[in-house]
Amino acid sequence: MIGIIVIGVIVGYILLSKFIVTKVLQSHGLKKANIALAIMILIPTWDVILGFPVYAYLCAFESGIKIYKSVDNVEGFYVGKWSKDGYGNVPPLPYEGYRYIDYQEVKNNKPTGKYFRTSWVDTNKTQECIQIGNASSEYHLNLYKQGKCIVKEEIDENEVSGWEFAGYKIGSETEIPIININRVISFKFFDKKSNATLGELVEYSWGVGWIRNLLGYFIGVSGFGCSGIGKTNYEELYIKILKPKERGEN
């Protein structure tokens, strides 16, 4: 489909150029017609004319959450390496609907070889609560109000959840080089055992050509990116791919 759009726009641009040059030739002579032809060829207005319809199509129909396989009755998942530096010794908090989060400890930018699991418990059941200050979300705040706290326990590597979450621009590849459109994977869940992707969030970025750079100078936009207009819902990404236990049993 993208190829058809690209070819269609290129053919349309050629026909438009031919029409403009012909009209200028008829009205103003050969000299100005040659100038018009040079403008259509040398000034890359195709940067917008070709780029925008392709980018709009990808945003509307190809971006967003992609679910390839879902798993029921999941209690928690692995979030990879986690550095204590800069977080005030606060471990990652379990996501809404899940019992625990597993992670690998990093100190001074180096993995320690230790793995930990954090989970919510009642404060009156343990003396090992981690004081982590204000909650970062309404979900966590409600748990604080209910008398919950975080506990952290070291686990063996073979106890780490087989479901892994990776995020924050984990991969990018050029979709269409001549107009600088890239396909970006921002978030992904995968099966650690088989390395199979369970689901991901696909975004598209449209790099800046000189025309959009000039326009962006005036409107404060240096480039464009989309993750699916109205389709980005990170909670949906979690619970539809790795269904929390209580939801998976419904």
Side-chain angles (χ1 to χ4, degrees):
M1 183 64 185
I2 297 175
I4 294 175
I5 294 175
V6 171
I7 292 172
V9 173
I10 291 175
V11 171
Y13 187 70
I14 293 173
L15 294 175
L16 174 64
S17 300
K18 181 180 179 181
F19 174 78
I20 292 174
V21 172
T22 300
K23 286 295 184 181
V24 173
L25 177 63
Q26 292 172 351
S27 303
H28 302 284
L30 182 59
K31 184 177 180 179
K32 290 188 176 181
N34 287 334
I35 294 175
L37 179 61
I39 290 174
M40 299 303 292
I41 294 175
L42 299 178
I43 297 181
T45 49
W46 51 264
D47 190 42
V48 171
I49 294 174
L50 176 57
F52 179 74
V54 174
Y55 174 72
Y57 171 83
L58 291 172
C59 284
F61 298 105
E62 299 295 333
S63 66
I65 294 170
K66 309 293 181 182
I67 299 176
Y68 310 115
K69 180 182 178 181
S70 59
V71 182
D72 289 333
N73 302 322
V74 176
E75 294 189 279
F77 51 88
Y78 177 63
V79 295
K81 298 175 182 177
W82 182 266
S83 174
K84 294 169 50 175
D85 303 330
Y87 291 95
N89 295 328
V90 177
L93 304 181
Y95 288 70
E96 183 172 359
Y98 301 97
R99 188 173 67 83
Y100 64 80
I101 286 292
D102 295 339
Y103 66 97
Q104 182 180 8
E105 184 183 65
V106 174
K107 288 183 178 179
N108 300 319
N109 297 319
K110 294 181 180 180
T112 64
K114 295 182 178 181
Y115 294 84
F116 291 91
R117 173 170 293 175
T118 58
S119 55
W120 290 101
V121 298
D122 293 331
T123 55
N124 60 356
K125 292 184 178 180
T126 180
Q127 300 295 319
E128 304 298 326
C129 283
I130 300 174
Q131 301 299 322
I132 57 178
N134 294 327
S136 58
S137 70
E138 184 177 350
Y139 166 69
H140 295 138
L141 180 60
N142 287 335
L143 289 176
Y144 283 118
K145 291 179 178 179
Q146 294 169 19
K148 301 284 186 179
C149 72
I150 288 290
V151 293
K152 181 179 77 171
E153 59 178 331
E154 186 174 355
I155 58 176
D156 292 332
E157 184 176 1
N158 59 13
E159 295 181 83
V160 173
S161 172
W163 316 118
E164 181 168 353
F165 170 76
Y168 310 108
K169 308 297 181 185
I170 60 176
S172 177
E173 60 184 23
T174 301
E175 186 80 8
I176 305 176
I178 62 173
I179 49 178
N180 199 18
I181 291 180
N182 294 321
R183 183 178 187 267
V184 181
I185 305 301
S186 294
F187 296 88
K188 180 172 77 170
F189 276 107
F190 60 95
D191 182 342
K192 290 172 58 182
K193 185 176 181 180
S194 65
N195 204 35
T197 299
L198 305 175
E200 58 193 4
L201 176 61
V202 179
E203 301 180 342
Y204 286 92
S205 64
W206 184 17
V208 176
W210 81 269
I211 290 179
R212 280 176 288 114
N213 190 32
L214 180 62
L215 294 174
Y217 176 79
F218 293 104
I219 64 177
V221 176
S222 59
F224 298 90
C226 69
S227 56
I229 300 173
K231 296 187 294 185
T232 303
N233 187 323
Y234 299 129
E235 182 181 357
E236 179 183 356
L237 179 67
Y238 305 145
I239 67 176
K240 284 194 173 183
I241 297 172
L242 299 180
K243 298 180 180 179
K245 188 170 184 178
E246 61 272 21
R247 301 191 188 197
E249 293 175 346
N250 290 337

